[in-house]
Amino acid sequence: MRRLRTTAAMRRLVSDTTLLPTDLVAPLFVREGLSEPKPVLSMPGVMQHSRSSLLAEVKSLVDLGISGIMLFGIPETKDATGSQAYDRDGVTQVALREIREAFGDELVVMSDLCVDEFTDHGHCGIINDEGHVDNDATLDLYAEVAIAQAEAGAHVVAPSGMMDGQVFAIREALDEAQFPDTSILAYSAKYASGFYGPFRDAVEVEIAGGGDRKQYQQDWRNSRDGLEEIRLDLSEGADMVMVKPAMAYLDVLIQARAEVDVPLAAYHVSGEYSMIKAAASNGWIDGDAVALESLTAIKRAGADFILTYFAREVAEQF
Ligand code: PBG
């Protein structure tokens, strides 16, 4: 109704969706061996953090009222099985311990659980003799990583590798290792997306031979497949589920919202962030306004919380 749009106060009163800093989770990168933060060129405003700049960043996010972080570690050395992903002194585990020591339970500390940042071939699992990712061998690896991350203090582990059965394997491993309270946020409907481009710079991942992840991540022509992945992950013990990317998949998000009653997350990914940044830096769009509009749309479609590289900037607008 036009009458209900006449003043800012009226528009606020009748709005059905309000985005708040508490709805946001900031993905953060920590790079082993850095003494100061290093900008990610394809993601203006985003850094690979050193151990100390990471803690400073978490502090300011907490002060802004952000609910949580999703941590990605980038190791100095990579190998075929991604062993730094579960090494007790691996970059992610060290950072998790330092964050929990400094901030305790002031925010929700989530850890991305995958091995592509740690493998020399850049795939999310162990490669077999035919050059394909070996699903079941990878499950054992994920179980190790889950225990290492939980031991280091992650409140939430977030498997993003799209192996069948990964949630079950991780839940079982966590329970056996006496981490019954560590929750699982499953990257359930995760598409083999071109929107992850800038992220690969951020984590220094190149897939061997110019390969892709189409054999394990979802085909973006499909929506029902996304819902099936969500149902499977819930039956395997996921506490929360996620749709990723966000803007091009709002239909999947709406359907997921209609179907599940657990907390539902969406990941506004690197390419979605960088496109807005690039257009804004050319003066073609108002970056702050478009960021707020995009994230509000994701919440309107049904997300309970949103992982976004805009977390800090949007929270600063409040
Ligand atoms: C896998 C992972 C990826 C992202 C999050 N976890 C990359 C991939 O699946 O290739 C992408 C996030 C983004 O683009 O912002 N470890």
Side-chain angles (χ1 to χ4, degrees):
M1 264 340 123
R2 200 192 52 79
R3 268 195 296 278
L4 297 181
R5 298 178 195 137
T6 47
T7 70
M10 183 67 89
R11 291 191 294 274
R12 189 173 61 220
L13 172 74
V14 302
S15 64
D16 62 31
T17 307
T18 305
L19 187 81
L20 295 168
T22 48
D23 298 323
L24 306 178
V25 170
L28 295 178
F29 302 108
V30 59
R31 168 71 159 92
E32 190 172 23
L34 285 184
S35 52
E36 50 187 79
K38 185 170 163 217
V40 177
L41 297 180
S42 56
M43 301 178 72
V46 172
M47 302 282 175
Q48 283 186 338
H49 283 287
S50 66
R51 277 162 62 181
S52 65
S53 74
L54 179 71
L55 293 175
E57 180 66 10
V58 174
K59 166 93 178 83
S60 74
L61 292 168
V62 168
D63 290 345
L64 285 164
I66 301 287
S67 285
I69 60 157
M70 175 68 75
L71 189 67
F72 294 90
I74 306 139
E76 189 95 320
T77 55
K78 308 190 185 211
D79 59 26
T81 59
S83 61
Q84 287 297 303
Y86 57 83
D87 191 305
R88 204 173 175 280
D89 297 319
V91 57
T92 311
Q93 285 68 253
V94 169
L96 285 169
R97 279 197 292 274
E98 291 185 346
I99 291 169
R100 287 302 306 283
E101 235 163 69
F103 303 100
D105 294 331
E106 280 186 77
L107 80 165
V108 179
V109 178
M110 307 186 186
S111 190
D112 184 79
L113 198 171
C114 195
V115 292
D116 58 323
E117 296 90 356
F118 302 89
T119 54
D120 50 16
H121 45 71
H123 276 292
C124 297
I126 290 173
I127 303 289
N128 63 18
D129 294 340
E130 287 101 64
H132 297 307
V133 172
D134 182 333
N135 190 92
D136 293 2
T138 301
L139 295 184
D140 296 336
L141 181 58
Y142 286 180
E144 291 292 319
V145 181
I147 293 168
Q149 294 181 344
E151 209 167 60
H155 292 109
V156 177
V157 296
S160 64
M162 293 301 284
M163 297 302 129
D164 286 346
Q166 62 183 12
V167 172
F168 184 83
I170 290 167
R171 183 72 270 159
E172 193 177 48
L174 289 172
D175 289 346
E176 265 172 32
Q178 309 298 326
F179 294 108
D181 292 338
T182 308
S183 2
I184 298 177
L185 165 59
Y187 286 72
S188 300
K190 174 170 174 179
Y191 287 86
S193 173
F195 288 100
Y196 306 150
F199 174 90
R200 306 243 165 102
D201 279 352
V203 294
E204 302 174 21
V205 167
E206 220 176 293
I207 305 177
D212 57 46
R213 307 204 193 289
K214 291 189 176 163
Q215 292 186 336
Y216 42 101
Q217 298 181 349
Q218 283 173 244
D219 187 323
W220 34 256
R221 287 168 290 203
N222 298 333
S223 65
R224 289 192 296 267
D225 195 20
L227 297 179
E228 185 60 6
E229 291 280 359
I230 286 172
R231 281 182 215 115
L232 280 170
D233 282 352
L234 288 173
S235 73
E236 290 179 26
D239 302 293
M240 305 180 268
V241 293
M242 180 147 70
V243 174
K244 172 187 176 190
M247 294 299 285
Y249 298 86
L250 293 183
D251 58 328
V252 179
L253 196 57
I254 290 168
Q255 293 176 64
R257 178 72 294 165
E259 170 129 353
V260 305
D261 293 319
V262 298
L264 177 63
Y267 198 145
H268 187 252
V269 301
S270 58
E272 305 181 82
Y273 172 84
S274 297
M275 289 193 307
I276 294 175
K277 283 288 176 185
S281 79
N282 278 307
W284 296 336
I285 58 171
D286 174 340
D288 284 348
V290 171
L292 187 59
E293 179 181 336
S294 300
L295 299 180
T296 305
I298 296 166
K299 185 171 179 190
R300 194 186 65 224
D304 292 309
F305 61 93
I306 305 167
L307 280 71
T308 172
Y309 303 96
F310 280 116
R312 157 197 271 291
E313 284 178 53
V314 165
E316 281 168 353
Q317 290 188 47
F318 284 84

